[in-house]
Amino acid sequence: MSLIHPAHERLGGIAEKVAHSIEEMTGKETRSLVLGHLQRGGGPTTFDRMLALRFGAAAVRLVAERQFGMMVALQPPNIVPVAIAEALTTPRRVRLDSDSIATARDLGISFGD
């Protein structure tokens, strides 16, 4: 019998199980990712959580429709499919003297230079 009231119970770990199943079915190394570990900038906002949910759902729809070689992108207000080849045609670059780079360096992030 659980001592935790069902309304307060936290479930987790499903990503690791899904990754393991994908690896078994495809033979490809698969890893799960904890968003909070990636961000390191505090807890995700409601916008972050909703965007992640929308991206995930759109990606699953692409797989169900057998639209491979595609990625999902935010083109406000919609999540749209984009061919990966198209996304890679024009790289978006961040200027080295930009505020974003200065902030990252101030936080101790290394760009290998």
Side-chain angles (χ1 to χ4, degrees):
M1 180 170 162
S2 175
L3 298 176
I4 300 173
H5 188 277
H8 300 287
E9 185 176 23
R10 290 187 64 168
L11 303 176
I14 191 65
E16 197 60 43
K17 292 177 183 179
V18 170
H20 180 72
S21 294
I22 291 171
E23 191 165 320
E24 282 186 339
M25 291 188 307
T26 65
K28 305 274 186 188
E29 181 182 2
T30 307
R31 298 179 185 186
S32 63
L33 174 78
V34 176
L35 180 61
H37 294 169
L38 176 67
Q39 287 181 325
R40 296 183 187 211
T45 65
T46 302
F47 178 83
D48 296 330
R49 291 178 188 272
M50 290 302 299
L51 185 60
L53 177 66
R54 293 172 66 202
F55 276 160
V60 168
R61 284 192 296 272
L62 288 177
V63 171
E65 295 167 2
R66 304 192 57 76
Q67 291 189 43
F68 303 112
M70 304 290 282
M71 58 172 263
V72 293
L74 175 63
Q75 290 181 356
N78 301 312
I79 304 293
V80 298
V82 176
I84 292 175
E86 178 186 335
L88 297 176
T89 57
T90 307
R92 294 183 180 188
R93 303 190 190 281
V94 177
R95 293 176 41 103
L96 293 177
D97 62 351
S98 72
D99 180 66
S100 296
I101 297 293
T103 301
R105 290 185 195 281
D106 289 345
L107 291 172
I109 296 172
S110 171
F111 293 99
D113 53 355

